[in-house]
Amino acid sequence: MTMDDGIPVEEHEPLWLLIEWPFGESDPSKFAVTTLGTEMSKKQIVRQYKERYRTEQAYEEMKGELGLDHFEGRRFRGWHHHVSVVLCCYAFIVAERDRSFFPSADAEGHAHPLRFAA
């Protein structure tokens, strides 16, 4: 048996249909098709797919809050410097955000200093 592209079905990558159906809802809310490998567990496939959302959120934050998309230069060196500064700032913000929330903060919300392994 072959598909429309002339390649036998056995030679195609396996397709997974992901359906997000929130608990208590009458219908599914999201659908996606992926070609992630057969050696991955279902949990790993879902985790990998959900990582896209986190990546998009980080990109939007860097564009909106830190000006990732504001570079107007013409040379790689300037662009590289701009992106490096934005990424460093974002890393600092993420670290500070992590410090101020449980479990890094104590009961009163005071952040503890970062501890590094010796």
Side-chain angles (χ1 to χ4, degrees), residues 50-80:
K50 291 284 190 175
E51 187 62 35
R52 178 180 177 201
Y53 175 76
R54 282 191 224 146
T55 303
E56 288 177 4
Q57 288 299 109
Y59 181 65
E60 287 298 319
E61 280 186 35
M62 285 189 280
K63 277 180 30 180
E65 300 295 325
L66 301 174
L68 180 65
D69 58 345
H70 290 171
F71 180 71
E72 295 182 8
R74 296 184 182 191
R75 302 211 191 287
F76 175 78
R77 185 175 176 168
W79 175 84
H80 188 268

PDB file of all heavy atoms in Angstrom, residues 50-80:
ATOM      1  N   LYS A  50       4.895  20.022  24.923  1.00  0.00           N
ATOM      2  CA  LYS A  50       4.548  21.144  25.811  1.00  0.00           C
ATOM      3  C   LYS A  50       5.717  22.127  25.965  1.00  0.00           C
ATOM      4  O   LYS A  50       5.513  23.286  26.281  1.00  0.00           O
ATOM      5  CB  LYS A  50       4.128  20.635  27.189  1.00  0.00           C
ATOM      6  CG  LYS A  50       2.819  19.912  27.198  1.00  0.00           C
ATOM      7  CD  LYS A  50       1.702  20.889  27.096  1.00  0.00           C
ATOM      8  CE  LYS A  50       0.376  20.214  27.335  1.00  0.00           C
ATOM      9  NZ  LYS A  50      -0.702  21.165  27.363  1.00  0.00           N
ATOM     10  N   GLU A  51       6.940  21.673  25.743  1.00  0.00           N
ATOM     11  CA  GLU A  51       8.114  22.544  25.853  1.00  0.00           C
ATOM     12  C   GLU A  51       8.030  23.690  24.852  1.00  0.00           C
ATOM     13  O   GLU A  51       8.558  24.776  25.086  1.00  0.00           O
ATOM     14  CB  GLU A  51       9.389  21.737  25.643  1.00  0.00           C
ATOM     15  CG  GLU A  51      10.652  22.502  25.898  1.00  0.00           C
ATOM     16  CD  GLU A  51      10.789  22.981  27.326  1.00  0.00           C
ATOM     17  OE1 GLU A  51      10.350  22.275  28.253  1.00  0.00           O
ATOM     18  OE2 GLU A  51      11.329  24.083  27.514  1.00  0.00           O
ATOM     19  N   ARG A  52       7.360  23.477  23.738  1.00  0.00           N
ATOM     20  CA  ARG A  52       7.194  24.531  22.731  1.00  0.00           C
ATOM     21  C   ARG A  52       6.498  25.747  23.339  1.00  0.00           C
ATOM     22  O   ARG A  52       6.873  26.879  23.074  1.00  0.00           O
ATOM     23  CB  ARG A  52       6.394  23.990  21.556  1.00  0.00           C
ATOM     24  CG  ARG A  52       6.146  25.038  20.507  1.00  0.00           C
ATOM     25  CD  ARG A  52       5.365  24.481  19.350  1.00  0.00           C
ATOM     26  NE  ARG A  52       5.104  25.557  18.410  1.00  0.00           N
ATOM     27  CZ  ARG A  52       4.157  25.533  17.534  1.00  0.00           C
ATOM     28  NH1 ARG A  52       3.370  24.499  17.430  1.00  0.00           N
ATOM     29  NH2 ARG A  52       3.973  26.537  16.730  1.00  0.00           N
ATOM     30  N   TYR A  53       5.494  25.518  24.174  1.00  0.00           N
ATOM     31  CA  TYR A  53       4.773  26.626  24.809  1.00  0.00           C
ATOM     32  C   TYR A  53       5.714  27.437  25.687  1.00  0.00           C
ATOM     33  O   TYR A  53       5.711  28.665  25.641  1.00  0.00           O
ATOM     34  CB  TYR A  53       3.600  26.090  25.626  1.00  0.00           C
ATOM     35  CG  TYR A  53       2.889  27.163  26.393  1.00  0.00           C
ATOM     36  CD1 TYR A  53       2.032  28.054  25.755  1.00  0.00           C
ATOM     37  CD2 TYR A  53       3.083  27.311  27.765  1.00  0.00           C
ATOM     38  CE1 TYR A  53       1.393  29.048  26.462  1.00  0.00           C
ATOM     39  CE2 TYR A  53       2.440  28.307  28.472  1.00  0.00           C
ATOM     40  CZ  TYR A  53       1.591  29.167  27.822  1.00  0.00           C
ATOM     41  OH  TYR A  53       0.972  30.157  28.532  1.00  0.00           O
ATOM     42  N   ARG A  54       6.531  26.756  26.483  1.00  0.00           N
ATOM     43  CA  ARG A  54       7.478  27.478  27.351  1.00  0.00           C
ATOM     44  C   ARG A  54       8.473  28.290  26.537  1.00  0.00           C
ATOM     45  O   ARG A  54       8.825  29.406  26.889  1.00  0.00           O
ATOM     46  CB  ARG A  54       8.226  26.495  28.241  1.00  0.00           C
ATOM     47  CG  ARG A  54       7.420  26.026  29.391  1.00  0.00           C
ATOM     48  CD  ARG A  54       8.303  25.284  30.368  1.00  0.00           C
ATOM     49  NE  ARG A  54       7.567  24.095  30.760  1.00  0.00           N
ATOM     50  CZ  ARG A  54       8.108  22.940  31.033  1.00  0.00           C
ATOM     51  NH1 ARG A  54       9.403  22.796  30.970  1.00  0.00           N
ATOM     52  NH2 ARG A  54       7.368  21.925  31.375  1.00  0.00           N
ATOM     53  N   THR A  55       8.939  27.719  25.447  1.00  0.00           N
ATOM     54  CA  THR A  55       9.888  28.411  24.575  1.00  0.00           C
ATOM     55  C   THR A  55       9.246  29.651  23.968  1.00  0.00           C
ATOM     56  O   THR A  55       9.850  30.730  23.941  1.00  0.00           O
ATOM     57  CB  THR A  55      10.377  27.473  23.461  1.00  0.00           C
ATOM     58  OG1 THR A  55      10.953  26.316  24.068  1.00  0.00           O
ATOM     59  CG2 THR A  55      11.384  28.141  22.567  1.00  0.00           C
ATOM     60  N   GLU A  56       8.019  29.540  23.511  1.00  0.00           N
ATOM     61  CA  GLU A  56       7.315  30.695  22.944  1.00  0.00           C
ATOM     62  C   GLU A  56       7.082  31.774  23.986  1.00  0.00           C
ATOM     63  O   GLU A  56       7.196  32.968  23.697  1.00  0.00           O
ATOM     64  CB  GLU A  56       5.983  30.254  22.335  1.00  0.00           C
ATOM     65  CG  GLU A  56       6.148  29.477  21.048  1.00  0.00           C
ATOM     66  CD  GLU A  56       4.828  28.983  20.487  1.00  0.00           C
ATOM     67  OE1 GLU A  56       3.761  29.302  21.055  1.00  0.00           O
ATOM     68  OE2 GLU A  56       4.868  28.277  19.468  1.00  0.00           O
ATOM     69  N   GLN A  57       6.754  31.369  25.217  1.00  0.00           N
ATOM     70  CA  GLN A  57       6.547  32.345  26.293  1.00  0.00           C
ATOM     71  C   GLN A  57       7.847  33.101  26.598  1.00  0.00           C
ATOM     72  O   GLN A  57       7.837  34.315  26.775  1.00  0.00           O
ATOM     73  CB  GLN A  57       6.040  31.657  27.559  1.00  0.00           C
ATOM     74  CG  GLN A  57       4.628  31.180  27.460  1.00  0.00           C
ATOM     75  CD  GLN A  57       3.655  32.306  27.217  1.00  0.00           C
ATOM     76  OE1 GLN A  57       3.115  32.417  26.128  1.00  0.00           O
ATOM     77  NE2 GLN A  57       3.439  33.148  28.171  1.00  0.00           N
ATOM     78  N   ALA A  58       8.963  32.387  26.659  1.00  0.00           N
ATOM     79  CA  ALA A  58      10.250  33.037  26.925  1.00  0.00           C
ATOM     80  C   ALA A  58      10.592  34.008  25.802  1.00  0.00           C
ATOM     81  O   ALA A  58      11.040  35.134  26.060  1.00  0.00           O
ATOM     82  CB  ALA A  58      11.350  31.984  27.064  1.00  0.00           C
ATOM     83  N   TYR A  59      10.362  33.608  24.566  1.00  0.00           N
ATOM     84  CA  TYR A  59      10.639  34.473  23.424  1.00  0.00           C
ATOM     85  C   TYR A  59       9.771  35.736  23.474  1.00  0.00           C
ATOM     86  O   TYR A  59      10.262  36.849  23.261  1.00  0.00           O
ATOM     87  CB  TYR A  59      10.388  33.693  22.127  1.00  0.00           C
ATOM     88  CG  TYR A  59      10.660  34.480  20.873  1.00  0.00           C
ATOM     89  CD1 TYR A  59      11.941  34.901  20.561  1.00  0.00           C
ATOM     90  CD2 TYR A  59       9.626  34.816  19.998  1.00  0.00           C
ATOM     91  CE1 TYR A  59      12.195  35.629  19.411  1.00  0.00           C
ATOM     92  CE2 TYR A  59       9.871  35.538  18.849  1.00  0.00           C
ATOM     93  CZ  TYR A  59      11.147  35.938  18.565  1.00  0.00           C
ATOM     94  OH  TYR A  59      11.395  36.661  17.432  1.00  0.00           O
ATOM     95  N   GLU A  60       8.495  35.590  23.792  1.00  0.00           N
ATOM     96  CA  GLU A  60       7.604  36.747  23.894  1.00  0.00           C
ATOM     97  C   GLU A  60       8.040  37.682  25.022  1.00  0.00           C
ATOM     98  O   GLU A  60       7.987  38.904  24.886  1.00  0.00           O
ATOM     99  CB  GLU A  60       6.158  36.305  24.104  1.00  0.00           C
ATOM    100  CG  GLU A  60       5.511  35.718  22.876  1.00  0.00           C
ATOM    101  CD  GLU A  60       5.430  36.715  21.727  1.00  0.00           C
ATOM    102  OE1 GLU A  60       5.117  37.888  21.966  1.00  0.00           O
ATOM    103  OE2 GLU A  60       5.703  36.302  20.584  1.00  0.00           O
ATOM    104  N   GLU A  61       8.448  37.119  26.155  1.00  0.00           N
ATOM    105  CA  GLU A  61       8.935  37.943  27.263  1.00  0.00           C
ATOM    106  C   GLU A  61      10.175  38.729  26.860  1.00  0.00           C
ATOM    107  O   GLU A  61      10.307  39.904  27.177  1.00  0.00           O
ATOM    108  CB  GLU A  61       9.252  37.082  28.486  1.00  0.00           C
ATOM    109  CG  GLU A  61       8.061  36.696  29.298  1.00  0.00           C
ATOM    110  CD  GLU A  61       8.460  35.966  30.571  1.00  0.00           C
ATOM    111  OE1 GLU A  61       9.508  36.296  31.172  1.00  0.00           O
ATOM    112  OE2 GLU A  61       7.716  35.048  30.953  1.00  0.00           O
ATOM    113  N   MET A  62      11.107  38.063  26.173  1.00  0.00           N
ATOM    114  CA  MET A  62      12.337  38.748  25.760  1.00  0.00           C
ATOM    115  C   MET A  62      12.041  39.832  24.733  1.00  0.00           C
ATOM    116  O   MET A  62      12.681  40.878  24.736  1.00  0.00           O
ATOM    117  CB  MET A  62      13.347  37.740  25.213  1.00  0.00           C
ATOM    118  CG  MET A  62      13.998  36.917  26.292  1.00  0.00           C
ATOM    119  SD  MET A  62      15.358  35.905  25.701  1.00  0.00           S
ATOM    120  CE  MET A  62      14.491  34.528  24.986  1.00  0.00           C
ATOM    121  N   LYS A  63      11.083  39.607  23.875  1.00  0.00           N
ATOM    122  CA  LYS A  63      10.716  40.630  22.887  1.00  0.00           C
ATOM    123  C   LYS A  63      10.004  41.793  23.566  1.00  0.00           C
ATOM    124  O   LYS A  63      10.329  42.954  23.318  1.00  0.00           O
ATOM    125  CB  LYS A  63       9.790  40.038  21.823  1.00  0.00           C
ATOM    126  CG  LYS A  63      10.505  39.324  20.725  1.00  0.00           C
ATOM    127  CD  LYS A  63       9.623  38.725  19.664  1.00  0.00           C
ATOM    128  CE  LYS A  63       8.327  39.408  19.404  1.00  0.00           C
ATOM    129  NZ  LYS A  63       7.503  38.792  18.371  1.00  0.00           N
ATOM    130  N   GLY A  64       9.039  41.489  24.423  1.00  0.00           N
ATOM    131  CA  GLY A  64       8.218  42.531  25.023  1.00  0.00           C
ATOM    132  C   GLY A  64       8.904  43.323  26.116  1.00  0.00           C
ATOM    133  O   GLY A  64       8.814  44.551  26.159  1.00  0.00           O
ATOM    134  N   GLU A  65       9.587  42.640  27.012  1.00  0.00           N
ATOM    135  CA  GLU A  65      10.168  43.295  28.179  1.00  0.00           C
ATOM    136  C   GLU A  65      11.624  43.710  28.001  1.00  0.00           C
ATOM    137  O   GLU A  65      12.071  44.685  28.594  1.00  0.00           O
ATOM    138  CB  GLU A  65      10.061  42.366  29.396  1.00  0.00           C
ATOM    139  CG  GLU A  65       8.645  41.993  29.761  1.00  0.00           C
ATOM    140  CD  GLU A  65       7.833  43.189  30.221  1.00  0.00           C
ATOM    141  OE1 GLU A  65       8.392  44.089  30.868  1.00  0.00           O
ATOM    142  OE2 GLU A  65       6.627  43.223  29.907  1.00  0.00           O
ATOM    143  N   LEU A  66      12.366  42.974  27.188  1.00  0.00           N
ATOM    144  CA  LEU A  66      13.804  43.221  27.105  1.00  0.00           C
ATOM    145  C   LEU A  66      14.270  43.734  25.744  1.00  0.00           C
ATOM    146  O   LEU A  66      15.448  43.970  25.553  1.00  0.00           O
ATOM    147  CB  LEU A  66      14.568  41.937  27.469  1.00  0.00           C
ATOM    148  CG  LEU A  66      14.278  41.398  28.865  1.00  0.00           C
ATOM    149  CD1 LEU A  66      14.952  40.063  29.066  1.00  0.00           C
ATOM    150  CD2 LEU A  66      14.714  42.393  29.922  1.00  0.00           C
ATOM    151  N   GLY A  67      13.370  43.893  24.800  1.00  0.00           N
ATOM    152  CA  GLY A  67      13.729  44.475  23.523  1.00  0.00           C
ATOM    153  C   GLY A  67      14.526  43.591  22.599  1.00  0.00           C
ATOM    154  O   GLY A  67      15.338  44.087  21.813  1.00  0.00           O
ATOM    155  N   LEU A  68      14.290  42.285  22.641  1.00  0.00           N
ATOM    156  CA  LEU A  68      15.021  41.379  21.755  1.00  0.00           C
ATOM    157  C   LEU A  68      14.835  41.766  20.291  1.00  0.00           C
ATOM    158  O   LEU A  68      15.755  41.661  19.497  1.00  0.00           O
ATOM    159  CB  LEU A  68      14.567  39.939  21.978  1.00  0.00           C
ATOM    160  CG  LEU A  68      15.237  38.877  21.114  1.00  0.00           C
ATOM    161  CD1 LEU A  68      16.721  38.788  21.439  1.00  0.00           C
ATOM    162  CD2 LEU A  68      14.569  37.529  21.311  1.00  0.00           C
ATOM    163  N   ASP A  69      13.665  42.258  19.943  1.00  0.00           N
ATOM    164  CA  ASP A  69      13.374  42.586  18.547  1.00  0.00           C
ATOM    165  C   ASP A  69      13.674  44.047  18.182  1.00  0.00           C
ATOM    166  O   ASP A  69      13.301  44.506  17.122  1.00  0.00           O
ATOM    167  CB  ASP A  69      11.916  42.266  18.222  1.00  0.00           C
ATOM    168  CG  ASP A  69      10.939  43.011  19.110  1.00  0.00           C
ATOM    169  OD1 ASP A  69      11.365  43.553  20.152  1.00  0.00           O
ATOM    170  OD2 ASP A  69       9.744  43.045  18.767  1.00  0.00           O
ATOM    171  N   HIS A  70      14.381  44.773  19.034  1.00  0.00           N
ATOM    172  CA  HIS A  70      14.654  46.191  18.779  1.00  0.00           C
ATOM    173  C   HIS A  70      15.980  46.462  18.087  1.00  0.00           C
ATOM    174  O   HIS A  70      16.330  47.614  17.858  1.00  0.00           O
ATOM    175  CB  HIS A  70      14.610  46.987  20.087  1.00  0.00           C
ATOM    176  CG  HIS A  70      13.225  47.084  20.635  1.00  0.00           C
ATOM    177  ND1 HIS A  70      12.977  47.596  21.886  1.00  0.00           N
ATOM    178  CD2 HIS A  70      12.021  46.736  20.129  1.00  0.00           C
ATOM    179  CE1 HIS A  70      11.680  47.562  22.117  1.00  0.00           C
ATOM    180  NE2 HIS A  70      11.089  47.034  21.061  1.00  0.00           N
ATOM    181  N   PHE A  71      16.747  45.453  17.762  1.00  0.00           N
ATOM    182  CA  PHE A  71      18.047  45.671  17.135  1.00  0.00           C
ATOM    183  C   PHE A  71      17.864  46.171  15.708  1.00  0.00           C
ATOM    184  O   PHE A  71      17.099  45.613  14.935  1.00  0.00           O
ATOM    185  CB  PHE A  71      18.873  44.378  17.125  1.00  0.00           C
ATOM    186  CG  PHE A  71      20.216  44.546  16.482  1.00  0.00           C
ATOM    187  CD1 PHE A  71      21.202  45.279  17.103  1.00  0.00           C
ATOM    188  CD2 PHE A  71      20.468  43.994  15.234  1.00  0.00           C
ATOM    189  CE1 PHE A  71      22.453  45.445  16.507  1.00  0.00           C
ATOM    190  CE2 PHE A  71      21.696  44.143  14.634  1.00  0.00           C
ATOM    191  CZ  PHE A  71      22.695  44.879  15.271  1.00  0.00           C
ATOM    192  N   GLU A  72      18.572  47.267  15.370  1.00  0.00           N
ATOM    193  CA  GLU A  72      18.459  47.845  14.032  1.00  0.00           C
ATOM    194  C   GLU A  72      19.807  47.970  13.337  1.00  0.00           C
ATOM    195  O   GLU A  72      19.938  48.702  12.365  1.00  0.00           O
ATOM    196  CB  GLU A  72      17.798  49.222  14.121  1.00  0.00           C
ATOM    197  CG  GLU A  72      16.367  49.152  14.607  1.00  0.00           C
ATOM    198  CD  GLU A  72      15.700  50.497  14.661  1.00  0.00           C
ATOM    199  OE1 GLU A  72      16.283  51.486  14.176  1.00  0.00           O
ATOM    200  OE2 GLU A  72      14.590  50.573  15.199  1.00  0.00           O
ATOM    201  N   GLY A  73      20.790  47.257  13.824  1.00  0.00           N
ATOM    202  CA  GLY A  73      22.117  47.326  13.211  1.00  0.00           C
ATOM    203  C   GLY A  73      22.207  46.483  11.955  1.00  0.00           C
ATOM    204  O   GLY A  73      21.245  45.849  11.531  1.00  0.00           O
ATOM    205  N   ARG A  74      23.401  46.483  11.378  1.00  0.00           N
ATOM    206  CA  ARG A  74      23.609  45.752  10.125  1.00  0.00           C
ATOM    207  C   ARG A  74      24.709  44.720  10.197  1.00  0.00           C
ATOM    208  O   ARG A  74      24.942  44.004   9.242  1.00  0.00           O
ATOM    209  CB  ARG A  74      23.949  46.745   9.019  1.00  0.00           C
ATOM    210  CG  ARG A  74      22.811  47.673   8.746  1.00  0.00           C
ATOM    211  CD  ARG A  74      23.134  48.558   7.608  1.00  0.00           C
ATOM    212  NE  ARG A  74      22.026  49.474   7.389  1.00  0.00           N
ATOM    213  CZ  ARG A  74      21.893  50.229   6.355  1.00  0.00           C
ATOM    214  NH1 ARG A  74      22.823  50.215   5.410  1.00  0.00           N
ATOM    215  NH2 ARG A  74      20.871  51.025   6.225  1.00  0.00           N
ATOM    216  N   ARG A  75      25.404  44.651  11.284  1.00  0.00           N
ATOM    217  CA  ARG A  75      26.533  43.731  11.372  1.00  0.00           C
ATOM    218  C   ARG A  75      26.254  42.633  12.402  1.00  0.00           C
ATOM    219  O   ARG A  75      25.570  42.823  13.387  1.00  0.00           O
ATOM    220  CB  ARG A  75      27.792  44.476  11.779  1.00  0.00           C
ATOM    221  CG  ARG A  75      28.148  45.604  10.827  1.00  0.00           C
ATOM    222  CD  ARG A  75      29.644  45.786  10.775  1.00  0.00           C
ATOM    223  NE  ARG A  75      30.075  46.983  10.099  1.00  0.00           N
ATOM    224  CZ  ARG A  75      30.027  47.179   8.795  1.00  0.00           C
ATOM    225  NH1 ARG A  75      29.503  46.271   8.022  1.00  0.00           N
ATOM    226  NH2 ARG A  75      30.485  48.290   8.256  1.00  0.00           N
ATOM    227  N   PHE A  76      26.870  41.467  12.138  1.00  0.00           N
ATOM    228  CA  PHE A  76      26.694  40.320  13.024  1.00  0.00           C
ATOM    229  C   PHE A  76      27.197  40.631  14.425  1.00  0.00           C
ATOM    230  O   PHE A  76      26.567  40.258  15.409  1.00  0.00           O
ATOM    231  CB  PHE A  76      27.416  39.090  12.466  1.00  0.00           C
ATOM    232  CG  PHE A  76      27.359  37.921  13.404  1.00  0.00           C
ATOM    233  CD1 PHE A  76      26.213  37.151  13.507  1.00  0.00           C
ATOM    234  CD2 PHE A  76      28.455  37.602  14.198  1.00  0.00           C
ATOM    235  CE1 PHE A  76      26.152  36.090  14.385  1.00  0.00           C
ATOM    236  CE2 PHE A  76      28.403  36.542  15.076  1.00  0.00           C
ATOM    237  CZ  PHE A  76      27.249  35.776  15.167  1.00  0.00           C
ATOM    238  N   ARG A  77      28.326  41.316  14.513  1.00  0.00           N
ATOM    239  CA  ARG A  77      28.913  41.600  15.825  1.00  0.00           C
ATOM    240  C   ARG A  77      27.954  42.388  16.708  1.00  0.00           C
ATOM    241  O   ARG A  77      27.768  42.074  17.877  1.00  0.00           O
ATOM    242  CB  ARG A  77      30.216  42.358  15.650  1.00  0.00           C
ATOM    243  CG  ARG A  77      30.927  42.584  16.948  1.00  0.00           C
ATOM    244  CD  ARG A  77      32.269  43.218  16.731  1.00  0.00           C
ATOM    245  NE  ARG A  77      32.893  43.499  18.003  1.00  0.00           N
ATOM    246  CZ  ARG A  77      34.135  43.829  18.154  1.00  0.00           C
ATOM    247  NH1 ARG A  77      34.919  43.908  17.100  1.00  0.00           N
ATOM    248  NH2 ARG A  77      34.629  44.065  19.334  1.00  0.00           N
ATOM    249  N   GLY A  78      27.282  43.395  16.152  1.00  0.00           N
ATOM    250  CA  GLY A  78      26.314  44.166  16.915  1.00  0.00           C
ATOM    251  C   GLY A  78      25.090  43.351  17.293  1.00  0.00           C
ATOM    252  O   GLY A  78      24.588  43.435  18.417  1.00  0.00           O
ATOM    253  N   TRP A  79      24.609  42.550  16.344  1.00  0.00           N
ATOM    254  CA  TRP A  79      23.458  41.693  16.625  1.00  0.00           C
ATOM    255  C   TRP A  79      23.814  40.689  17.717  1.00  0.00           C
ATOM    256  O   TRP A  79      23.026  40.458  18.642  1.00  0.00           O
ATOM    257  CB  TRP A  79      23.039  40.961  15.346  1.00  0.00           C
ATOM    258  CG  TRP A  79      21.942  39.982  15.584  1.00  0.00           C
ATOM    259  CD1 TRP A  79      20.607  40.241  15.628  1.00  0.00           C
ATOM    260  CD2 TRP A  79      22.096  38.580  15.835  1.00  0.00           C
ATOM    261  NE1 TRP A  79      19.914  39.086  15.884  1.00  0.00           N
ATOM    262  CE2 TRP A  79      20.808  38.034  16.020  1.00  0.00           C
ATOM    263  CE3 TRP A  79      23.192  37.731  15.916  1.00  0.00           C
ATOM    264  CZ2 TRP A  79      20.594  36.699  16.272  1.00  0.00           C
ATOM    265  CZ3 TRP A  79      22.969  36.393  16.172  1.00  0.00           C
ATOM    266  CH2 TRP A  79      21.680  35.892  16.348  1.00  0.00           C
ATOM    267  N   HIS A  80      24.997  40.093  17.609  1.00  0.00           N
ATOM    268  CA  HIS A  80      25.452  39.111  18.599  1.00  0.00           C
ATOM    269  C   HIS A  80      25.537  39.745  19.980  1.00  0.00           C
ATOM    270  O   HIS A  80      25.105  39.153  20.982  1.00  0.00           O
ATOM    271  CB  HIS A  80      26.814  38.552  18.173  1.00  0.00           C
ATOM    272  CG  HIS A  80      27.275  37.409  19.005  1.00  0.00           C
ATOM    273  ND1 HIS A  80      28.063  37.579  20.115  1.00  0.00           N
ATOM    274  CD2 HIS A  80      27.037  36.083  18.882  1.00  0.00           C
ATOM    275  CE1 HIS A  80      28.295  36.396  20.650  1.00  0.00           C
ATOM    276  NE2 HIS A  80      27.689  35.475  19.925  1.00  0.00           N
TER     277      HIS A  80
END
